[in-house]
C-alpha cells in the first residue's frame, strides 16, 4: 500500500503560497559568512587519528565567530587530550550531497581513519526525493571508503528543522516533517553497517541557541555537537 505523507499533500496544495514565502525568506534572511580559521591541522597528543569533516554550512561553522567555536574546533578540543588528530575540513555553504561528492572527487587522494558528515538540509529545501538523497548518501559513503580509506564514518543526522526560528510556522512544519522522515531513512541506512555511526542532532534549537540568522546553530549547539562526535570517535578508537 502506498503511504501518503501529509507534508507532501500540504506542500502540493499550498505550493504557490510557499513559493512566495520561500522567495521572501531568501531575499530577507541574514546572510552569515563562513567563519575564519584553519581548515586543516594537527592537534593533541596520543594515538594518531586522521579525520575528515565534510558537509554544508553547518560543517563549515556558519553561525560562529571562528572555526574554534565551530564543529571542527569543538571536536578537536574534545579529542586533543587523548589523541593526536590530523584533520581536514571540506565544507561549503549551500552544499547538497551531490555537490559535496563532486568536491571530494576533485581532491587528491589522502588517507583518513574517520570521516564526519553533515549533509541533508539543502537537499530537502531543493526538493530531492528521499530515495534519491539516500542514493547519494550511499555514493558519498562509498567514495569516503574507496578513495580516502575511511574505516569509520560518523554520520550526523538531520536537525529538528521545525525548530528553526527563521521559518514561518507552515513552511517550518512541512520542512520539519520532511526532515524527520529523511532522518529516519538515514538512520536506518547507517545502522546497516557496523563501521558507520549515526549521531542524532536532537538538540534544542530555540532562539537562545541559534545564530543570529535563525537558521544556523550557535556556539552552544556546536559545542554539544562536537562533544557527541568526539564520543563517537572514542567508542570506535579507544585511547
Amino acid at each position: 500500500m502506498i503511504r501518503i505523507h501529509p507534508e507532501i499533500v500540504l506542500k502540493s496544495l499550498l505550493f504557490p503560497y510557499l513559493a512566495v514565502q520561500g522567495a521572501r525568506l531568501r531575499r530577507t534572511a541574514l546572510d552569515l559568512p563562513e567563519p575564519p580559521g584553519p581548515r586543516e591541522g594537527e592537534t593533541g597528543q596520543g594515538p594518531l587519528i586522521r579525520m575528515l569533516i565534510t558537509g554544508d554550512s553547518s560543517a563549515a561553522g556558519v553561525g560562529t565567530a571562528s572555526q574554534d567555536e565551530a564543529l571542527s574546533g569543538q571536536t578537536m578540543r574534545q579529542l586533543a587530550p587523548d589523541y593526536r588528530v590530523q584533520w581536514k575540513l571540506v565544507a561549503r555553504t549551500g552544499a547538497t550531497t551531490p555537490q559535496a561528492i563532486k568536491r571530494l572527487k576533485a581532491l587528491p587522494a589522502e588517507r583518513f581513519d574517520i570521516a564526519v558528515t553533515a549533509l541533508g538540509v539543502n537537499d530537502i529545501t531543493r526538493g530531492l526525493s528521499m530515495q534519491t538523497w539516500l542514493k547519494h548518501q550511499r555514493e558519498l559513503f562509498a567514495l569516503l571508503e574507496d578513495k580516502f580509506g575511511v574505516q569509520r564514518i560518523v554520520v550526523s543526522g538531520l536537525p529538528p528543522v521545525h525548530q528553526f526560528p527563521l521559518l514561518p510556522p507552515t513552511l517550518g512544519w512541512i520542512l520539519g516533517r520532511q526532515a524527520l522522515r529523511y532522518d529516519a531513512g538515514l538512520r536506518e541506512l547507517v545502522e546497516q553497517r557496523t563501521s558507520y555511526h549515526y549521531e542524532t542532532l536532537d538538540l534544542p534549537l530555540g532562539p537562545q541557541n541559534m545564530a543570529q540568522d535563525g537558521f544556523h546553530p550557535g556556539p552552544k549547539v556546536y559545542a554539544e555537537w562536537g562533544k557527541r562526535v568526539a564520543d563517537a570517535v572514542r567508542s570506535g578508537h579507544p585511547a
Side-chain angles (χ1 to χ4, degrees):
M1 185 174 67
I2 298 176
R3 183 177 179 183
I4 299 175
H5 300 284
E7 71 274 12
I8 296 178
V9 175
L10 187 59
K11 184 177 180 180
S12 299
L13 292 173
L14 298 179
F15 180 77
Y17 166 74
L18 295 173
V20 171
Q21 200 171 64
R24 184 183 300 120
L25 281 177
R26 285 190 289 273
R27 288 196 309 270
T28 61
L30 186 62
D31 187 14
L32 296 179
E34 295 180 5
R39 296 207 169 201
E40 61 182 306
E42 181 174 322
T43 188
Q45 55 185 359
L48 174 64
I49 290 179
R50 297 164 297 183
M51 179 182 295
L52 173 66
I53 301 173
T54 189
D56 54 24
S57 56
S58 63
V62 172
T64 64
S66 73
Q67 289 295 335
D68 286 342
E69 293 184 327
L71 176 62
S72 59
Q74 298 285 2
T75 303
M76 296 312 122
R77 183 175 295 109
Q78 291 285 332
L79 292 174
D82 303 310
Y83 302 92
R84 179 165 66 96
V85 187
Q86 294 175 353
W87 61 276
K88 175 175 283 191
L89 172 64
V90 180
R92 185 171 296 177
T93 296
T96 60
T97 305
Q99 289 169 344
I101 291 170
K102 183 178 180 180
R103 191 163 293 117
L104 290 170
K105 284 183 175 179
L107 293 178
E110 289 184 70
R111 302 295 293 184
F112 294 98
D113 305 301
I114 300 172
V116 180
T117 67
L119 289 158
V121 172
N122 294 315
D123 299 83
I124 291 175
T125 60
R126 297 189 188 188
L128 250 64
S129 71
M130 186 172 79
Q131 292 75 17
T132 300
W133 178 62
L134 291 177
K135 176 184 175 182
H136 291 316
Q137 288 285 306
R138 287 191 288 269
E139 184 181 351
L140 171 65
F141 301 155
L143 176 64
L144 291 171
E145 292 173 331
D146 296 342
K147 179 175 181 177
F148 298 101
V150 171
Q151 299 170 359
R152 183 169 174 79
I153 304 176
V154 178
V155 181
S156 303
L158 287 165
V161 174
H162 61 282
Q163 294 184 23
F164 287 5
L166 174 70
L167 300 177
T170 303
L171 183 59
W173 185 86
I174 290 172
L175 292 178
R177 289 277 302 193
Q178 281 188 276
L180 289 171
R181 186 160 52 86
Y182 283 44
D183 187 59
L186 179 64
R187 183 169 193 160
E188 182 178 353
L189 172 64
V190 169
E191 290 180 348
Q192 293 172 4
R193 296 287 297 271
T194 57
S195 58
Y196 299 175
H197 174 90
Y198 166 87
E199 186 54 61
T200 180
L201 290 186
D202 57 345
L203 303 168
L205 299 181
Q208 70 279 9
N209 291 326
M210 294 289 281
Q212 189 179 359
D213 66 352
F215 193 81
H216 289 95
K220 289 182 181 179
V221 175
Y222 282 114
E224 177 60 26
W225 187 4
K227 179 180 181 302
R228 293 184 182 191
V229 169
D231 288 343
V233 171
R234 288 193 185 92
S235 71
H237 292 77

